[in-house]
Amino acid sequence: MKILHTSDWHLGKMIYGRSLLDDQAYFIHTVFLPAVEQEQPDLVILAGDIFDRQIAPVQAIRLFDEVLTFMSKQNIPFAVIAGNHDGADRIAIGASMLRNSGIYIATKAEDALLPVTVNKHNQLLQVYLLPYIEPAYVRQWLQDDTIQGFSMAYEAVISKIEETLNSQAINILVGHCFAAGSQTCDSESTLYVGGSGEVSPTLFQSFDYTALGHLHSPQQVGQQGRYSGSPLKYSFDEEHHKKSLTLLEISKESCNFTQLPISPLHDMRTVTGTLEMLLEQGKQSPSDDYLSIELTNTTPVYMPLEQLRPYYPNVLSVHCNWLRAESSLQTKVLREHMHNRTIDEMTVFSQFMEQICSITPTEKDRELFLSLLTELKAEQETKQ
C-alpha cells in the first residue's frame, strides 16, 4: 500500500502580521495536488491542524474546499482529523455525507472506533482516525473519572481501538498529539507544563504505522510512528528544517518511507550583517524571502527597516545589536558608553547628515554645528 502523509497546514496563518495564504495556496497547487496526481497513493492522510484557528478566514476555507473537491474526483480515500487549532464542530459539517465521496473527517474521540477500510493489492488496510482530544471529553465519554491527563486519555481511547484490531490487516493510527521525547519549535502551541500533555510512544505499538500531526519538524517517533511536519516554515527557528511530504510504502511485513521535498514560494531565514553590507548585497541580489535581520552595527542606524525594504520586501523583523543588552557585562558597557559619551555629539551629527540627508558634512558644517551646540549648552546652564 502507498500512503501520502501530511499535517499541520495551518491555513490562514499569519506571522508578524503577514498572511501566508499565498504561500499556502502555492504549496497546495504546485506541490500537494501534483504529488497526489503523480504518486496515485492508495490513501492520503492529513493529520490535523488544517486551519490555524477555530474560526478560519474565508479564503482559508475556500482553499481547503478546493482540496476536498479535487480529492473527491480522484477516487483516492482522504483521511482527515481535527487538530487542536481546528474548530472541530465546524469542520464536522457534512462529514457523514462526505464519506460517500471517499473523504473521512474525524472530529471527536468516538470517530476513532469506526476505521476507514481500504481493500487493494490483495491487502486490507484499516485506518483509525483519532483527532486531538481533551482528557475532560474522554472522561465524560467513557464515564471514567479516573482519567487524568493526556496520556491516560489516549491510553483509554487506544485500548478501545485495540479491541477491534484485525491482526491480518495493516493497522494505521492517525493522531494529533505531543509524543514524549519529540523535538518542538516556537511556532507550535505552548505544550503543557510538567509533561501532562505528553503521550508515550509505547501506546502506538499495536499499530503498523502511526501518522502524527502537531509538531512541525519531520521526525520519527518510536519504531513505526512519524510526524510528517508542517509543509511550510512557521517560525524562524524552523529555518533549517527540510519540509516535505511523507510517502509511505507499507505492507504487513515492512514499512518504508520517502520524504518528498517541498520548495516554498518564499523561504524563511535569518540574515546577519551591518546595514551597509546588507544594503550593498540587496542592490546586487534582492531577495523576497521572509527575513529576520540581525544588524551588527555598533552605533545607531536610522529607520533600518525602511532602508532595507526596497531590496528585501518581505523583511519581518529587524534587531539592532547595539540596542540589545543580553548580559550584565553588555549592560555595564552600554551604561558606561552613555555616561562617558563614547558616542559624542559630533558622531551623532555626522551619522544623521549621512543617513537622513545623504550628505557628508563639511568642515564648515561641523564648525556651525559646534557653534550652535555651544550656544545651546550655555543657555541651558544659564537657566539652571
Side-chain angles (χ1 to χ4, degrees):
M1 292 271 190
K2 184 190 287 188
I3 298 170
L4 190 65
H5 170 199
T6 182
S7 73
D8 295 272
W9 288 4
H10 289 276
L11 299 180
K13 188 172 182 64
M14 299 183 72
I15 53 172
Y16 294 86
R18 180 74 60 91
S19 171
L20 296 182
L21 270 168
D22 287 345
D23 300 76
Q24 292 165 334
Y26 181 87
F27 154 69
I28 286 172
H29 294 145
T30 67
V31 179
F32 176 72
L33 299 184
V36 172
E37 283 189 316
Q38 179 176 339
E39 298 295 340
Q40 287 295 301
D42 301 302
L43 173 73
V44 176
I45 293 171
L46 175 51
D49 282 354
I50 307 159
F51 301 107
D52 192 55
R53 51 189 183 273
Q54 293 192 1
I55 302 178
V58 171
Q59 298 91 330
I61 296 171
R62 289 173 179 166
L63 188 55
F64 186 57
D65 183 61
E66 285 185 49
V67 175
L68 295 180
T69 301
F70 173 88
M71 292 302 301
S72 67
K73 297 176 181 178
Q74 293 299 305
N75 197 30
I76 298 173
F78 187 31
V80 181
I81 63 171
N84 58 303
H85 281 254
D86 297 311
D89 290 337
R90 290 181 173 85
I91 66 174
I93 293 177
S96 58
M97 291 184 292
L98 286 171
R99 292 180 76 91
N100 297 326
S101 299
I103 295 171
Y104 305 88
I105 299 178
T107 60
K108 51 188 183 298
E110 48 266 48
D111 291 341
L113 303 185
L114 181 63
V116 176
T117 300
V118 180
N119 262 299
K120 275 191 174 182
H121 319 299
N122 296 318
Q123 297 180 90
L124 174 62
L125 173 67
Q126 288 192 319
V127 185
Y128 296 86
L129 306 181
L130 178 56
Y132 174 80
I133 53 175
E134 290 282 354
Y137 182 91
V138 177
R139 192 161 52 243
Q140 182 178 5
W141 171 46
L142 297 180
Q143 295 294 296
D144 185 349
D145 291 335
T146 66
I147 296 173
Q148 301 293 328
F150 280 79
S151 190
M152 291 183 68
Y154 273 82
E155 183 177 6
V157 177
I158 289 174
S159 293
K160 291 189 71 68
I161 293 174
E162 289 173 336
E163 294 173 5
T164 67
L165 287 181
N166 181 346
S167 61
Q168 302 303 310
I170 302 169
N171 293 299
I172 290 180
L173 176 69
V174 181
H176 192 91
C177 60
F178 172 39
S182 302
Q183 178 185 355
T184 64
C185 55
D186 290 343
S187 61
E188 295 145 4
S189 296
T190 303
L191 301 175
Y192 289 81
V193 178
S196 64
E198 296 181 352
V199 174
S200 172
T202 59
L203 295 177
F204 310 141
Q205 290 179 346
S206 298
F207 302 92
D208 298 293
Y209 180 74
T210 300
L212 291 171
H214 186 49
L215 302 187
H216 294 177
S217 174
Q219 55 193 294
Q220 194 76 13
V221 177
Q223 294 296 316
Q224 303 290 6
R226 183 168 180 80
Y227 286 103
S228 65
S230 61
L232 301 176
K233 299 173 183 178
Y234 290 135
S235 64
F236 283 104
D237 72 334
E238 296 180 45
E239 66 175 296
H240 299 300
H241 287 188
K242 303 298 182 183
K243 299 299 185 179
S244 61
L245 302 171
T246 297
L247 185 64
L248 185 71
E249 298 271 3
I250 189 169
S251 66
K252 197 61 184 173
E253 294 76 29
S254 64
C255 178
N256 302 297
F257 69 87
T258 304
Q259 290 178 269
L260 305 180
I262 296 172
S263 297
L265 179 62
H266 303 103
D267 198 4
M268 182 176 288
R269 56 194 177 92
T270 301
V271 177
T272 303
T274 64
L275 177 66
E276 296 75 19
M277 181 185 77
L278 296 179
L279 288 175
E280 185 60 32
Q281 289 179 356
K283 292 174 184 177
Q284 297 178 8
S285 180
S287 172
D288 64 355
D289 288 345
Y290 293 123
L291 300 180
S292 174
I293 291 182
E294 300 278 349
L295 292 179
T296 57
N297 297 69
T298 56
T299 56
V301 293
Y302 176 74
M303 298 178 70
L305 187 59
E306 285 72 10
Q307 294 191 63
L308 291 163
R309 274 265 162 81
Y311 312 105
Y312 307 102
N314 291 321
V315 174
L316 299 182
S317 70
V318 176
H319 300 282
C320 302
N321 286 349
W322 71 273
L323 284 175
R324 302 171 74 176
E326 298 175 345
S327 68
S328 58
L329 176 61
Q330 288 174 316
T331 302
K332 180 180 178 182
V333 170
L334 180 60
R335 287 174 178 167
E336 287 177 354
H337 279 328
M338 294 175 66
H339 178 73
N340 297 326
R341 292 189 180 275
T342 305
I343 304 174
D344 59 23
E345 292 93 340
M346 184 56 70
T347 301
V348 173
F349 169 71
S350 299
Q351 291 183 352
F352 176 86
M353 294 291 288
E354 291 172 359
Q355 295 182 28
I356 307 306
C357 304
S358 300
I359 297 173
T360 301
T362 64
E363 190 60 34
K364 288 186 177 181
D365 294 328
R366 295 173 185 272
E367 290 175 0
L368 178 59
F369 171 74
L370 286 175
S371 175
L372 293 172
L373 182 63
T374 301
E375 290 180 14
L376 180 61
K377 287 182 177 180
E379 184 179 341
Q380 289 177 337
E381 289 175 0
T382 301
K383 291 179 178 180
Q384 293 176 354

